[in-house]
């Protein structure tokens, strides 16, 4: 296994993946292969760095998936993650990941429909934002860009 080969979970290198999995105490095959839309291993490591000094972090993720599972595992039972998500399938996949990683962190799911934000953008319904706590230590926005969106930019 060479360090510059692509990672199986998050678009980094195999060395990045090994470092991340060691840090959260998991074997590499516990989490699913995600493809190009998951946050990169180094981004996930940075999220863990940002929360490591907080005894009881309060984190919001706008979007579910791998970042929620890695944060929940990395927190080791500290703090609360508030996951805002519109897609029931992503919520189910995230719950499966949380179970697979053996998470003991509190993850609260806020289902939010997507609404027209402007003429080109859909975003989470602003009316559910009051369900988030007033003070947050970290907000992570996980956007999914489809190949159609990428093709339009070219």
């Amino acid at each position: 296994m060479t360090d510059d080969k692509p990672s199986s979970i998050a678009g980094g290198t195999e060395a990045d993946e090994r470092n991340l999995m060691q840090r959260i105490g998991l074997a590499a095959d516990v989490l699913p292969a995600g493809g190009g839309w998951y946050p990169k291993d180094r981004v996930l490591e940075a999220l863990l760095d940002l929360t490591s000094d907080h005894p009881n972090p309060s984190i919001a993720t706008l979007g579910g998936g791998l970042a929620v599972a890695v944060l929940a595992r990395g927190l080791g039972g500290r703090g609360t993650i508030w996951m805002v998500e519109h897609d029931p399938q992503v919520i189910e996949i995230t719950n499966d990941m949380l179970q697979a990683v053996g998470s003991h962190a509190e993850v609260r799911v806020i289902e939010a429909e997507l609404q027209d934000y402007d003429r080109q953008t859909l975003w989470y319904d602003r009316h559910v934002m009051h369900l988030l706590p007033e003070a947050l230590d970290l907000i992570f926005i996980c956007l999914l860009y489809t190949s159609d969106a990428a093709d339009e930019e070219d």
Side-chain angles (χ1 to χ4, degrees):
M1 174 172 9
T2 65
D3 286 353
D4 59 349
K5 286 181 66 179
S7 164
S8 65
I9 63 163
T13 66
E14 286 183 350
D16 294 335
E17 179 181 348
R18 274 195 315 276
N19 291 339
L20 176 64
M21 293 296 102
Q22 272 186 325
R23 182 169 180 177
I24 62 175
L26 291 177
D29 62 350
V30 172
L31 293 172
W37 56 272
Y38 277 152
K40 296 199 181 319
D41 303 303
R42 289 183 182 174
V43 171
L44 297 170
E45 286 250 22
L47 293 175
L48 293 172
D49 289 344
L50 290 168
T51 59
S52 64
D53 290 338
H54 294 276
N56 193 30
S58 186
I59 300 166
T61 66
L62 303 181
L66 184 63
V68 174
V70 168
L71 277 168
R73 174 69 184 207
L75 290 175
R78 299 176 296 120
T80 303
I81 300 171
W82 304 79
M83 180 180 83
V84 179
E85 178 56 61
H86 71 282
D87 187 337
Q89 185 176 7
V90 172
I91 293 170
E92 183 179 335
I93 289 167
T94 304
N95 285 332
D96 290 346
M97 284 186 203
L98 289 166
Q99 189 171 15
V101 301
S103 168
H104 298 290
E106 181 178 2
V107 178
R108 297 187 183 183
V109 177
I110 300 172
E111 291 188 57
E113 292 182 19
L114 293 179
Q115 303 289 321
D116 286 326
Y117 182 75
D118 58 30
R119 288 183 282 162
Q120 299 176 341
T121 309
L122 293 175
W123 194 243
Y124 296 110
D125 184 353
R126 290 176 268 221
H127 295 100
V128 301
M129 294 305 157
H130 74 278
L131 298 173
L132 292 170
E134 284 187 33
L136 292 166
D137 297 301
L138 177 69
I139 299 174
F140 180 66
I141 301 171
C142 189
L143 297 175
L144 170 61
Y145 291 100
T146 65
S147 59
D148 293 341
D151 291 341
E152 290 175 16
E153 291 180 13
D154 291 339

